[in-house]
Each structure stands twice: as structure tokens, then as C-alpha cells.
Amino acid sequence: MSWIALSGQGLAWVCPERFGTTAASRDILMPRGSIVIETRISPEDRPQTLLAYERGHPWKGSFSVRAVPGGGIVLVMSQGEDVFHTVLQHRHDSRTDVLRVTFHWDSEARYGRITVERPESDAVVSQDTPPPPPMLLEDIYTLVRRPQLIEKDEDVLFFAVSDEIEPVGPMPSLVGQVPVLTPDGYKPVSSLTTGDTVVTRNHGIVPVLARVTRRVPALGTFQPVRLRAPYFGLRRDLVVAPYQRLVIGGSEVEYLFGREAVLIPAISLVNGFAAVYEQGVQMVRYHQLLLPGHEPVISAEAELETLYVGRLRRNRAQISRTLLSDVPASLIPEHARAGLKVLGSFEAITLAEARAA
């Protein structure tokens, strides 16, 4: 089933099929699942309670996730006398705006894992935990539907609960209808698969090694962004994830930044004219292509970055936790970054205005 509960940005949704209509139907244990929390980092480097709740019935229990100064995530759970506690230390970076914290648990398999990701970069820090207790379905319902009973920092963007072990690491970022140029013309990215080929601007025709896809809540750093034509030469609007990056070159780039090309995350263009957030969407399915050299593809005459995997192929255990787990090892390449400057919001909007003038 996957996602069963969402909370954030005015949304408080639980899956009626899973939660039923009465409290009695929710007094059952959920032995396996994932909780994903996205939060802005406190600029004052203060402690943050990302999510916390305590109850006394039908037995004592609690759940809390807190971010501590210096780069630490503290997770505490209890069910009756069974108490679980773990701490993940991650590299503190004052330049980071958003963190994504994912906690996986499989109590029957005695497996737990906590991961911290920075959506604007490739940074992933993950570690196994002691065997966690199961979650009570009623607790998840309370976290979403009874905000007066929980503690949550105002910087939390959203949290979501899945009844599956959700993947972490490289994420897809193109909706299925995004056109990608192939030797036979433009095709929707969702129609491409291993063995197909795509046309690139500087590397000719290259093979598709794999296409990855994932359905996620349309919240936080997953909320779709509509890139609007004709900015940056787009022939049509494109809907992408916020951290999908465009590769932009031209005389304005050389004049403003002294470089042949720069990278612009879609989120940096959201200002009401070059790009806008898509509203009224609860879930979104993204796709992305894995190419041999991380080559950009051509879409609506613009260049879009493809999936970047770095040296992930050297760590089979880490690959097993990503969307690449089913891709044959022989097809997973090693990627090197092109070293292009990534523009911030002010620079990106300045460039958009210069090119529109």
C-alpha cells in the first residue's frame, strides 16, 4: 500500500482503508513501515522537536524525534516497558536549508534504520539502530489528526508514514509526461526503459541504463514545480521536483557569471513567473533516467540533469536501500560531477530576467 498518512502544508490525511472509522480498529500494532520528516534547520542552531507524542492508553507509549545542535538526530520510542533509543550524528552544515529524516522499522525482522538526507545535495548519512518496537496504528492517527496532542517544531515542513520500507538516496524528479529527446523524436520519460537511447547536446546519442520511479507525497522538497515557457528557451511548461536542475549556458551566463554553463535548481526559480509550485496535488509520481556519464537530456529544448549516483556502485549494501536495488550491478556506472556552479535563488531570478529582457 505504501503511504498511509500525511501531515503538513495544510494537509492532514490518513488512508481510510488502513485506519478504519473507530478507535478500536486502530488499536493494532504496525510491525513494519517508515516515517519521513522534512524540516528546515534552525538558523540559531537551537534544539528542535521534529515530532513528539506520549499516551497512557491502551498502554503507555511514546514517540519522539529531535534535532540537537551540532548535527544530531535523537529518536526515542516506547511501547509499555519496551524502550528504544538511538542517536544519529551527521555532518552539520550551516548552509543546509532542509533536512529529510527517515526512520525505517521492521520489528519482526528486528531491523531498524535512521537516515538523514540533504535534498539539495548528494549527502546521505545512515546507520542501523537497535531492534525497534512496532508502532501502534492509533499513534499514527493521533500524530496526523490530533495536532493538539503532539509537539512539533514550527520549522517542520511535513511528515509522512508508509507501511513499506521506503528507499533513500538518489531520487527521481521528472513527472511522467516530461518529454525527452530520442533519435525518434520526443517521448515521455515514463515510456523510456533500459536499452532505449536519448539524444544529448554535447555527447551525442547515449543509452538508457535504467529508469527509476517513485510515488511520493507532493509536499516539502517533493512538491512539484512548474517551469514555465518560454523562460530559458522552454518550448512548453515542464513539471519537475524542486531540486531538479537545469543546465543553462549562453552569452548572459558568460557575462553574469564568467562560465560557459551553470546549474539552476527548479526551486530557485519559483517567483510567480519563471516557475510556480503546483497546488492541490496530494501524491506525485516522479521518474528519472540513469545514463552512463550523468549526461543532461534535452526536454522542450532545455537541458535537464539526469540521475546522479556518484560512486554508489562500490557499496552494495547502500544500493540495496535505494531505487537502484533491482538494477543489475553491471549497469550501474560511476559518475563524476561536472563542477558547474549551482545558482541560488537571487542569481537564478536575475538570470531569468536577463534572458527574458
Side-chain angles (χ1 to χ4, degrees):
M1 181 176 285
S2 191
W3 302 105
I4 61 171
L6 308 175
S7 178
Q9 298 174 216
L11 180 67
W13 172 83
V14 294
C15 176
E17 296 177 6
R18 187 61 190 269
F19 287 86
T21 58
T22 65
S25 66
R26 298 188 292 269
D27 282 341
I28 59 175
L29 293 174
M30 184 175 165
R32 184 174 189 266
S34 305
I35 293 182
V36 178
I37 305 171
E38 280 196 0
T39 183
R40 294 187 183 91
I41 297 303
S42 168
E44 298 87 15
D45 201 23
R46 58 174 173 78
Q48 294 171 288
T49 298
L50 306 186
L51 203 56
Y53 165 65
E54 292 186 15
R55 58 167 161 78
H57 301 283
W59 56 81
K60 288 185 177 180
S62 67
F63 176 83
S64 69
V65 183
R66 292 182 167 87
V68 297
I73 302 295
V74 180
L75 172 63
V76 181
M77 293 174 62
S78 68
Q79 294 286 1
E81 301 300 319
D82 190 4
V83 179
F84 163 85
H85 175 274
T86 191
V87 178
L88 172 64
Q89 293 292 338
H90 62 93
R91 182 175 60 84
H92 179 67
D93 188 342
S94 60
R95 296 169 297 176
T96 297
D97 181 43
V98 175
L99 286 185
R100 182 184 302 141
V101 180
T102 303
F103 171 58
H104 305 115
W105 76 93
D106 190 331
S107 301
E108 295 175 349
R110 298 180 61 80
Y111 165 82
R113 192 162 190 87
I114 186 168
T115 301
V116 171
E117 300 173 88
R118 297 176 177 85
E120 83 279 15
S121 74
D122 313 311
V124 178
V125 181
S126 188
Q127 72 179 32
D128 291 332
T129 73
M135 291 283 287
L136 188 67
L137 203 60
E138 177 68 8
D139 288 348
I140 296 171
Y141 185 89
T142 296
L143 289 171
V144 174
R145 300 301 292 270
R146 303 185 180 112
Q148 72 275 14
L149 298 181
I150 71 171
E151 185 180 357
K152 184 178 68 171
D153 195 281
E154 61 182 7
D155 288 325
V156 173
L157 299 173
F158 82 91
F159 68 89
V161 182
S162 167
D163 59 5
E164 300 289 345
I165 303 298
E166 293 292 329
V168 297
M171 286 292 129
S173 49
L174 306 174
V175 300
Q177 297 78 19
V178 167
V180 173
L181 186 60
T182 75
D184 298 318
Y186 279 107
K187 294 183 179 180
V189 64
S190 60
S191 71
L192 299 176
T193 189
T194 303
D196 290 337
T197 57
V198 295
V199 177
T200 66
R201 194 153 286 167
N202 297 318
H203 301 88
I205 297 174
V206 299
V208 175
L209 302 179
R211 174 176 56 84
V212 297
T213 182
R214 187 187 182 196
R215 181 172 177 263
V216 292
L219 299 171
T221 62
F222 294 130
Q223 184 177 0
V225 171
R226 178 175 294 273
L227 301 172
R228 299 174 67 180
Y231 293 98
F232 297 110
L234 287 172
R235 296 293 182 88
R236 54 167 284 185
D237 290 2
L238 300 178
V239 180
V240 301
Y243 286 101
Q244 170 65 51
R245 299 196 290 197
L246 292 81
V247 183
I248 303 296
S251 58
E252 297 93 344
V253 172
E254 292 190 21
Y255 176 75
L256 291 172
F257 306 107
R259 300 166 184 262
E260 291 185 3
V262 293
L263 298 173
I264 302 181
I267 193 173
S268 295
L269 292 170
V270 176
N271 68 339
F273 63 91
V276 294
Y277 281 116
E278 293 281 89
Q279 304 293 335
V281 182
Q282 183 169 297
M283 295 283 182
V284 58
R285 179 171 292 280
Y286 287 121
H287 305 259
Q288 190 52 279
L289 302 178
L290 179 66
L291 303 183
H294 181 48
E295 297 90 349
V297 292
I298 299 173
S299 179
E301 300 304 315
E303 285 188 282
L304 303 178
E305 272 200 318
T306 54
L307 196 71
Y308 176 80
V309 297
R311 297 182 176 182
L312 189 61
R313 64 172 291 168
R314 302 187 184 189
N315 189 332
R316 291 304 303 176
Q318 188 174 347
I319 288 176
S320 69
R321 298 188 286 270
T322 73
L323 290 169
L324 299 171
S325 59
D326 294 330
V327 177
S330 60
L331 291 181
I332 300 178
E334 289 194 13
H335 287 159
R337 284 291 190 191
L340 300 179
K341 176 182 175 64
V342 180
L343 300 190
S345 295
F346 177 77
E347 295 171 311
I349 296 302
T350 299
L351 179 58
E353 291 174 342
R355 296 193 69 163

